[in-house]
Amino acid sequence: ISTRHEQITSDSTIAASVRYYDQHGDKWHQAMAYHYRGMVNYALNKIPEAIQDLKKAETLAETLDDELLRNKIYNQLAYANYRSSNSPQLLKYSKKLLDSSKRMNDSVMVARSYMMVASGFANMEEMDSARVYMLQSLDWIDALDSLTQSELMDGVAEMYQAAGDVEKAEQYLKEWVLKHSYRGRAYVTLACIRQKQGRNEEAVSCAKKALGAADPFVHKQSLDLLAELYSQMGDSSQAYAM
């Protein structure tokens, strides 16, 4: 969270707001205060504190007639649990977000929610369920901006790669991801394809491109894959370094 000129480095201001509304405010203002403090803590990488605040906001919001507020809280809780590697809770809040987005008739959030549910199932290695939700998200792709469309196509490509359908995986990568924007996850998927094709040098090149990804899971995937590739190529020192 930031303004145009300043990055937030402290939660002291929003903490004062939480204390005030705990004593004097109605449930809506109290829920909003906890929601915003949760967002600040998330931005400060204080994930357990963020989840605690957001769950307090959720409890309050469930008693209110404000679907938009609940939608925002479910979305933030899903991301916070993704960051904390809590896949069951990621799945729980992604499903709540999906139901809420459908009630709001918000096409963009419905599409994103399907993707998030698929991610939750994939992280729990329930790939059949992940595929169902990922393919359902394609029905809503026209509502998304080009960057999010690329993210969706990347996920579909990864899904087909994991299922062994290399031709379809490469089709989605070529048509969307690599043409539209840099996507670290896309290069991991492409590296896995090249590895299965026995083109290890190309696989290493692709995996290295994913090392700069902001997503820590993608960064870890690329390190794991590089370690495996170097080992297969007989370079034990590079494998160990990875």
Side-chain angles (χ1 to χ4, degrees):
I1 299 174
S2 63
T3 66
R4 289 181 64 181
H5 305 290
E6 180 182 11
Q7 184 74 28
I8 291 176
T9 58
S10 170
D11 64 351
S12 57
T13 302
I14 190 63
S17 176
V18 169
R19 288 194 299 271
Y20 176 84
Y21 287 119
D22 275 345
Q23 296 176 16
H24 305 291
D26 55 39
K27 286 187 176 181
W28 188 87
H29 285 94
Q30 195 180 7
M32 287 292 290
Y34 277 101
H35 170 236
Y36 282 123
R37 190 167 73 174
M39 292 178 67
V40 169
N41 280 328
Y42 180 87
L44 295 173
N45 204 31
K46 297 162 64 174
I47 305 303
E49 293 88 343
I51 291 174
Q52 183 177 354
D53 283 333
L54 290 164
K55 287 184 72 66
K56 176 68 174 179
E58 177 194 16
T59 299
L60 291 163
E62 297 288 6
T63 67
L64 304 171
D65 185 23
D66 191 336
E67 191 67 58
L68 178 59
L69 175 58
R70 285 193 290 273
N71 192 273
K72 290 179 178 178
I73 293 169
Y74 299 151
N75 183 59
Q76 202 65 39
L77 275 165
Y79 277 111
N81 280 288
Y82 174 79
R83 287 275 296 276
S84 65
S85 302
N86 190 333
S87 297
Q89 289 296 300
L90 163 62
L91 184 58
K92 171 187 173 180
Y93 285 108
S94 296
K95 284 184 172 181
K96 294 186 81 166
L97 179 64
L98 176 59
D99 291 340
S100 173
S101 300
K102 286 180 177 179
R103 288 193 293 269
M104 292 174 60
N105 197 29
D106 186 332
S107 300
V108 173
M109 288 307 299
V110 168
R112 293 195 65 88
S113 300
Y114 273 119
M115 293 165 63
M116 292 167 73
V117 173
S119 179
F121 276 120
N123 288 351
M124 297 171 68
E125 299 186 358
E126 297 183 25
M127 300 311 298
D128 288 342
S129 296
R131 278 190 284 273
V132 168
Y133 280 91
M134 186 62 77
L135 291 175
Q136 283 182 298
S137 66
L138 289 173
D139 295 336
W140 302 83
I141 191 170
D142 290 340
L144 299 171
D145 58 51
S146 60
L147 205 65
T148 312
Q149 287 180 342
S150 291
E151 182 181 347
L152 172 55
M153 291 300 140
D154 184 5
V156 174
E158 185 178 40
M159 177 189 74
Y160 280 120
Q161 181 272 320
D165 193 335
V166 171
E167 185 176 347
K168 277 194 174 181
E170 289 211 68
Q171 174 190 336
Y172 281 105
L173 287 172
K174 287 177 181 177
E175 289 184 4
W176 289 89
V177 183
L178 299 181
K179 269 200 284 185
H180 284 74
S181 63
Y182 165 78
R183 301 291 303 175
R185 186 175 164 198
Y187 283 108
V188 171
T189 301
L190 192 57
C192 289
I193 291 172
R194 295 292 177 257
Q195 181 188 31
K196 288 185 177 179
Q197 294 170 334
R199 296 156 64 178
N200 284 351
E201 293 287 351
E202 292 178 52
V204 167
S205 177
C206 291
K208 282 183 176 179
K209 290 178 181 179
L211 283 174
D215 188 328
F217 290 95
V218 174
H219 184 77
K220 180 180 182 300
Q221 277 184 306
S222 60
L223 286 172
D224 286 342
L225 185 55
L226 281 166
E228 184 177 334
L229 285 164
Y230 281 125
S231 179
Q232 289 176 352
M233 296 164 68
D235 191 337
S236 58
S237 61
Q238 282 283 18
Y240 182 76
M242 295 301 107

